Amino acid sequence: MKFLLIEDNRELAHAIASRMRIDGHVIEHAENLEDATAFVETGEYDLILLDIMLPDGDGRVFLKKHRAGNLDTPVIILTARSQVSDRIGSLDLGADDYVTKPFDHAELEARCRAVLRRKAGKSQTIFETGGIVFDPVAGVLSVRGENVNLRNRELRLFEVLINAPRQVFSKQKLADRLFSYDEDASENAIEVYIGRLRKHLIPSDLKITTLRGMGYRLDYEG
């Protein structure tokens, strides 16, 4: 998945981003509200991790503004403020969760998973359909009972497709979800990942369809 991390503490931001990238997530990092606004206006994210005290303003102002603009991306507040009134105020402004610094990274990861499950309207994240069992959290895909070893970007690509079956994704759209702005994301790379996934899915009832000039779509055979 693709996360936006808004945090001015570079050491903490690096630690969070490194942990998330190990799990294959794409992380964009903004150190201030101006950059964060630019990211939100030009990109699409599955989750936003938002600090409150930033060099150019209060993160809650950012949250309020973008919730008023119908931004429905889940937001987890990261802050050293632990007062109950601060938590209530942030949740009332539209935050989906509130994590107090310092925090354990494993807890933050668990809260991210929980928020994303709620967003998807699911109590669990495991997909079972068409002869496959897919657990995006554990990074495991089983096809007809056989586990398949997916590389990180193959895993996230399949997660994008399985979350929106029969929806068409252009190469650019997929590149935006799989790569950060400072990474080289060529159309050839997307084609390579699609090709690998197709081979993995051959025994299943799922297939990735190419729509010429439009992109790719996950379909169910039979």
Side-chain angles (χ1 to χ4, degrees):
M1 292 195 171
K2 191 171 185 178
F3 296 172
L4 175 60
L5 171 61
I6 307 171
E7 169 62 62
D8 65 325
N9 184 319
R10 293 185 180 182
E11 184 177 353
L12 176 58
H14 176 74
I16 294 172
S18 296
R19 285 289 296 259
M20 296 296 182
R21 285 173 180 142
I22 289 174
D23 291 332
H25 299 297
V26 176
I27 308 295
E28 300 284 11
H29 175 218
E31 294 186 359
N32 54 61
L33 295 179
E34 181 180 3
D35 290 346
T37 298
F39 276 122
V40 169
E41 290 177 349
T42 59
E44 183 178 340
Y45 300 93
D46 297 294
L47 179 68
I48 295 174
L49 301 173
L50 174 63
D51 187 19
I52 286 182
M53 301 303 294
L54 293 158
D56 55 348
D58 191 320
R60 290 168 297 188
V61 175
F62 171 90
L63 175 60
K64 182 178 181 179
K65 173 185 174 182
H66 289 284
R67 283 291 186 247
N70 295 320
L71 174 73
D72 63 354
T73 304
V75 175
I76 297 179
I77 294 290
L78 307 178
T79 181
R81 296 183 176 183
S82 59
Q83 296 296 321
V84 173
S85 59
D86 290 322
R87 298 181 186 182
I88 293 173
S90 296
L91 294 170
D92 284 345
L93 286 174
D96 296 87
D97 203 348
Y98 189 105
V99 179
T100 303
K101 301 175 184 176
F103 51 79
D104 185 274
H105 288 281
E107 179 187 358
L108 176 60
E109 291 166 358
R111 286 179 179 270
C112 289
R113 292 193 295 269
V115 166
L116 290 168
R117 285 198 301 270
R118 292 199 298 270
K119 171 67 175 177
K122 301 170 183 175
S123 59
Q124 50 85 34
T125 57
I126 297 177
F127 297 84
E128 297 186 48
T129 185
I132 68 101
V133 178
F134 178 55
D135 184 343
V137 174
V140 176
L141 171 65
S142 174
V143 180
R144 300 297 180 191
E146 296 290 331
N147 284 349
V148 175
N149 292 321
L150 294 179
R151 301 179 183 182
N152 278 339
R153 286 207 171 96
E154 294 169 11
L155 170 68
R156 298 310 165 196
L157 172 58
F158 187 61
E159 186 175 10
V160 170
L161 296 174
I162 196 70
N163 270 297
R166 299 189 175 90
Q167 179 176 326
V168 178
F169 292 90
S170 68
K171 290 181 181 178
Q172 184 59 55
K173 185 76 167 181
L174 292 174
D176 289 343
R177 300 298 298 276
L178 299 180
F179 296 89
S180 60
Y181 284 114
D182 57 356
E183 292 178 305
D184 181 22
S186 68
E187 292 190 354
N188 288 339
I190 299 301
E191 291 173 3
V192 169
Y193 295 134
I194 289 289
R196 290 174 182 167
L197 273 180
R198 279 186 170 134
K199 291 180 181 179
H200 293 317
L201 294 175
I202 287 175
S204 75
D205 295 330
L206 279 65
K207 68 175 182 177
I208 300 174
T209 303
T210 300
L211 289 86
R212 189 175 298 276
M214 298 177 64
Y216 302 100
R217 182 182 68 202
L218 183 67
D219 290 321
Y220 295 86
E221 296 180 322

